[in-house]
Amino acid sequence: MYIWYISLFEPLPLNSKNVRKMRTGWICDALLKQNNDIELWIPGFDHLKHIHHRENSDTERLENGLSIQYLKGIGYKSDTSIKRLFHHKYLANEFKRIAKSRTYIPDLIITQIPCLELAEEAIKFAKKNKIPSIIDIRDLWPDIYNRILPQRIKWAYKLIFFREIRST
């Protein structure tokens, strides 16, 4: 089976022995052991370190057989910045652009939340092409904000995050 796995949060660079794998890396390893072909779609921007490892949307094949489609992003310095939201929208547009250009489409798409924009584009592509899809919920987004807002302004949560709540 040929699978596209779309993730934002795996530490980069993936081919370094000094980088500890996280959830996506372990799932990809398990899928590869079952003789699946995995193409991991990830930003060239490291979410944990807030640095770019890749400036462009290009591809790489690792020794373990994993293919990587890097997505060009704009990056951000803080996880709570407005620029992060623009970064996510940019990644979603990059995914859409590259996915539409592919002649060989996957048998399954796995995508993740909290990046709603990228997950939405992946699901739209899957539906249009009749590809089964899975949404891996890593964070309860945007619910996390409802939990951390002070009680006196919780009323604003649904107003501020209307689009995200609807998308979820």
Side-chain angles (χ1 to χ4, degrees):
M1 184 180 278
Y2 175 44
I3 302 169
W4 287 0
Y5 198 131
I6 304 160
S7 176
L8 285 162
F9 306 107
E10 199 63 19
L12 298 174
L14 288 175
N15 55 356
S16 170
K17 294 186 187 334
N18 300 323
V19 173
R20 188 179 133 246
K21 285 182 189 171
M22 292 176 60
R23 173 188 185 132
T24 303
W26 291 114
I27 292 172
C28 285
D29 283 351
L31 292 168
L32 287 166
K33 284 180 185 168
Q34 298 297 317
N35 294 320
N36 294 294
D37 293 319
I38 309 298
E39 184 168 1
L40 181 61
W41 293 62
I42 56 175
F45 177 77
D46 190 320
H47 167 73
L48 299 173
K49 296 179 182 175
H50 299 123
I51 59 172
H52 287 275
H53 286 282
R54 298 283 176 121
E55 294 293 330
N56 297 309
S57 294
D58 55 3
T59 58
E60 178 182 16
R61 186 142 181 101
L62 301 183
E63 293 171 7
N64 65 355
L66 182 70
S67 293
I68 300 175
Q69 172 61 63
Y70 291 98
L71 297 170
K72 179 181 179 177
I74 59 175
Y76 48 89
K77 292 188 190 310
S78 169
D79 291 347
T80 57
S81 72
I82 289 289
K83 198 168 179 187
R84 180 179 178 184
L85 300 176
F86 288 113
H87 173 75
H88 286 180
K89 184 64 177 164
Y90 194 94
L91 292 174
N93 288 335
E94 265 306 270
F95 169 83
K96 183 179 178 178
R97 181 184 69 79
I98 295 168
K100 281 185 356 183
S101 72
R102 295 291 182 90
T103 54
Y104 188 59
I105 61 172
D107 301 303
L108 173 68
I109 295 177
I110 303 170
T111 188
Q112 295 179 336
I113 290 177
C115 183
L116 297 175
E117 298 85 357
L118 187 52
E120 278 183 311
E121 286 302 330
I123 298 304
K124 281 182 196 174
F125 182 85
K127 283 182 178 181
K128 182 180 178 188
N129 292 284
K130 297 179 175 61
I131 302 167
S133 57
I134 297 170
I135 300 174
D136 176 11
I137 302 172
R138 292 183 63 123
D139 288 333
L140 296 174
W141 180 264
D143 297 348
I144 189 69
Y145 286 107
N146 193 32
R147 294 177 183 182
I148 64 171
L149 283 173
Q151 191 63 40
R152 68 185 186 287
I153 61 168
K154 277 197 186 279
W155 62 268
Y157 165 73
K158 288 184 180 177
L159 184 65
I160 295 167
F161 292 99
F162 170 78
R163 187 206 165 297
E164 289 84 358
I165 293 166
R166 189 186 55 168
S167 293
T168 304

